[in-house]
Amino acid sequence: MTGEDDRESSSRPATESERRLAAAWADMLGVPVERIRRGDNFFEIGGTSRAAARLVTALERRLTMSEFARTPTLALMADLLDRRPAVPGVAALGG
């Protein structure tokens, strides 16, 4: 693991999108939001495929299940969602 990887895995959510996504993960997983870190993998901290499907739905399908599986860390997923163009009628992450 590089120093950057280590900082990412141990640090708290840094951006507004990461904080909103962390809150959604915490709600879905039934854990305190303070437990969610940038480098956390949704599946490694207790997420199931059913919880992932519910989260994709809660995010108004702004990402697919295959994208979710390819970007399972908080930081990567928030970055992917941030790069998505706004869709009329679809709320921003957590907004």
Side-chain angles (χ1 to χ4, degrees):
M1 184 183 293
T2 67
E4 185 175 322
D5 291 337
D6 189 41
R7 281 191 303 277
E8 181 179 293
S9 66
S10 65
S11 64
R12 292 189 175 187
T15 67
E16 186 61 28
S17 292
E18 287 178 5
R19 287 187 286 276
R20 289 178 179 168
L21 188 58
W25 281 26
D27 184 52
M28 221 37 77
L29 299 172
V31 300
V33 70
E34 296 81 22
R35 183 176 154 212
I36 309 293
R37 299 287 186 239
R38 296 185 76 232
D40 281 347
N41 179 306
F42 183 81
F43 299 105
E44 291 176 1
I45 62 170
T48 63
S49 56
R50 175 177 257 167
R54 288 192 343 252
L55 186 57
V56 165
T57 299
L59 295 172
E60 297 178 337
R61 300 187 189 281
R62 292 188 59 220
L63 69 157
T64 66
M65 285 299 295
S66 64
E67 289 171 326
F68 192 105
R70 284 193 313 269
T71 58
T73 66
L74 184 80
L76 292 174
M77 192 176 296
D79 182 59
L80 175 64
L81 290 167
D82 280 346
R83 289 184 283 123
R84 291 284 152 96
V87 177
V90 174
L93 177 62

